[in-house]
Structure formats: structure tokens, C-alpha cells
């Protein structure tokens, strides 16, 4: 199993890979330097922009909306900065904007940037065109006060673009590990931290990857009957025996029809 950000694509054959659910949001936070908040992303043309290191999920998410606004290396300086380095560069006005996602997009970092002078979080006034073009993105609306209740936040909600992180397995993975993985995700991710509602994840969202049949079954009806009524070890043992017995019965019963039979003599 693997955790993979929506929007990340592989160069190899992925026909054997299936999703068993989305686990949490990865917001794409765009902070800009200026006296006034930036209202449109295309205003960054000609500027210096921190977009994350090569191969990072942040860069994947950043290049999509930038490309939709015809911003690329030909008309802007796209810097491979991330984490504390890109935050420091923005606060010192060495870059005009920076993209944060994944681990750097923490509440502590959000609070640091929102309290920095002349640094503003970009709110997407019209996110729908991005959602239509990039199906792996979601709209995430939050209150700026969620990051620092004691501060003087904007008096309106902030709309961000966000990806989700999927839990992937191989097609044909048996029901037992799929059930256990989804149950663990419900226990860990179902509590609803700051950016998610309680019970919102794991979710059967269909974006970049096909969905596992076992996951579809779990979200519709829960655990299989054996795992609901028996201890895990016993249910696993019966499932394994069942896998071996059914093919054997399919072969043996037709074969018995052709077995020689004895008749009693007079």
C-alpha cells in the first residue's frame, strides 16, 4: 500500500493500481508579498515565485494553476524553494510569492506568514475554472481565524485549492487487508483535524485512480460477514481455507460423475 497525492502521475504501467479511499486534504496555500492582497494569480507574471523542489508534490500542485494563467519559466522566475527557505525568502521579499503544500503547510507556518508584514494569503474568488480543468483538485473554504484566533484575521472566508492524498493498493488485494486499512484510516483520519470535518475522511472520492472493488464493498456494507461475527484470526483462517476449498470442489464434483461405479451381480 502507498500514500499518493492526487495529481501525481507515474511514467510506468499503473494498470495494477487501485485506490481504497482519500484520507485527507493537502491544501495549496499561495502567499504573496505586497501592500494589498493579490486578487488574481496572473498578476504574478514576471515575478519570482517559490514553487517547491523538483519532484515534490508542491511543485506538481503549483505548476497547474500557474500554467492555467500562462505563467511558466519563459515569463517568470520559478524558484525551487520550499519549507523554511521559501518562507524566509517571501518575508524578506526575495520572492514575490510562494506556494506551500504538504508538510510545510502547517498551522504554525500559516500563522507565521499571516503575521508577517505585507504578506497575504491568496483567496481564490473564482475557483470553479480550476476545478473543471484539474479534476484532482478540490475547493477548500476555511476561516483565517482558524489559524490564530487572537489575531485580526480577514473578515471573510479564505478559499484555497487542495488536493487529497489517496491510499493505493494493488488490484486483487484480498478483503482482509483492505478492511484493516480502511478501519485504520477511519480511526486516524476520521477525527477531523483543522481542515476536515469529523467523519469526512476516509472518503470514496474518485479522481485520478480507479477504485478497488473491495473498497466499494466496504463503503457500501462495511466489513464482510465473517469479520463482523468472528475474531480476526479465525475469520482469516476460514477465508484462506475457503479460497483453497472452492476450486477443489469445482474440480472434484464434476470428476466424480465420470468415476467408475460397481454393480452388484445376481
Amino acid at each position: 500500500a502507498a500514500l499518493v497525492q492526487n495529481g501525481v502521475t507515474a511514467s510506468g504501467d499503473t494498470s495494477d493500481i487501485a485506490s481504497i479511499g482519500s484520507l485527507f486534504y493537502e491544501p495549496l496555500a499561495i502567499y504573496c508579498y505586497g501592500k494589498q492582497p493579490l486578487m488574481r494569480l496572473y498578476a504574478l507574471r514576471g515575478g519570482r515565485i517559490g514553487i517547491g523542489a523538483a519532484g515534490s508534490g508542491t511543485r506538481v500542485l503549483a505548476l497547474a494553476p500557474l500554467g492555467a494563467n500562462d505563467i511558466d519559466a519563459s515569463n517568470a522566475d520559478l524558484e525551487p524553494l520550499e519549507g523554511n527557505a521559501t518562507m524566509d525568502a517571501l518575508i524578506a521579499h526575495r520572492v514575490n510569492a510562494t506556494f506551500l503544500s504538504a508538510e510545510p503547510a502547517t498551522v504554525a507556518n500559516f500563522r507565521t506568514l499571516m503575521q508577517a508584514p505585507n504578506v497575504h494569503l491568496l483567496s481564490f474568488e473564482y475557483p470553479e475554472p480550476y476545478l473543471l480543468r484539474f479534476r484532482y483538485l478540490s475547493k477548500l473554504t476555511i476561516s483565517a481565524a482558524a489559524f490564530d484566533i487572537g489575531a485580526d484575521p480577514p473578515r471573510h472566508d479564505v478559499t484555497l485549492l487542495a488536493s487529497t492524498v489517496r491510499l493505493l493498493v494493488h488490484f486483487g488485494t484480498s478483503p482482509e487487508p483492505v478492511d484493516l486499512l480502511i478501519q485504520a484510516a477511519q480511526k486516524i483520519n476520521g477525527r477531523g483535524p483543522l481542515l476536515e470535518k469529523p467523519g469526512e475522511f476516509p472518503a470514496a472520492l474518485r479522481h485520478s485512480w480507479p477504485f478497488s472493488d473491495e473498497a466499494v464493498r466496504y463503503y457500501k456494507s462495511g466489513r464482510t460477514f465473517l469479520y463482523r461475527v468472528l475474531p480476526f484470526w479465525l475469520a482469516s483462517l476460514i477465508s484462506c481455507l475457503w479460497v483453497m476449498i472452492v476450486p477443489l470442489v469445482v474440480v472434484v464434483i464434476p470428476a466424480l460423475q465420470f468415476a467408475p461405479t460397481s454393480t452388484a451381480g445376481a
Side-chain angles (χ1 to χ4, degrees), residues 107-194:
V107 173
N109 287 344
F110 277 23
R111 185 181 298 119
T112 297
L113 289 175
M114 293 183 70
Q115 293 176 348
N118 298 322
V119 173
H120 307 279
L121 177 61
L122 187 147
S123 178
F124 284 88
E125 187 176 3
Y126 301 107
E128 287 74 17
Y130 297 97
L131 304 182
L132 290 173
R133 180 175 296 192
F134 308 108
R135 295 290 184 173
Y136 55 86
L137 292 177
S138 301
K139 173 184 174 182
L140 187 59
T141 302
I142 55 177
S143 170
F147 303 113
D148 194 347
I149 296 177
D152 184 20
R155 299 182 182 277
H156 55 80
D157 292 339
V158 176
T159 300
L160 306 180
L161 299 178
S163 178
T164 55
V165 171
R166 312 297 298 274
L167 183 56
L168 305 181
V169 297
H170 289 282
F171 268 116
T173 299
S174 57
E176 298 86 355
V178 171
D179 286 6
L180 287 176
L181 287 168
I182 297 178
Q183 289 175 53
Q186 289 173 333
K187 181 178 180 180
I188 297 170
N189 303 98
R191 292 173 293 182
L194 186 62

Side-chain angles (χ1 to χ4, degrees), residues 226-263:
L226 288 177
Y227 288 88
R228 290 199 300 267
V229 300
L230 297 175
F232 179 81
W233 69 269
L234 182 56
S236 298
L237 177 61
I238 294 175
S239 295
C240 292
L241 292 175
W242 184 255
V243 170
M244 293 184 292
I245 291 173
V246 169
L248 185 63
V249 170
V250 170
V251 173
V252 169
I253 290 181
L256 290 177
Q257 299 177 0
F258 300 96
T261 57
S262 60
T263 57

Side-chain angles (χ1 to χ4, degrees), residues 42-83:
Y42 62 75
L44 292 176
R45 293 178 188 175
R48 300 187 67 192
I49 310 169
I51 61 170
S56 68
T58 300
R59 177 175 286 231
V60 171
L61 292 181
L63 290 177
L66 288 175
N69 287 274
D70 295 324
I71 300 175
D72 55 30
S74 67
N75 54 29
D77 292 329
L78 305 182
E79 304 288 344
L81 299 172
E82 62 182 2

Side-chain angles (χ1 to χ4, degrees), residues 29-47:
I30 307 172
Y31 283 93
C32 305
Y33 191 95
K35 293 184 178 181
Q36 298 294 329
L38 191 68
M39 302 303 295
R40 296 289 188 273
L41 200 57
Y42 62 75
L44 292 176
R45 293 178 188 175

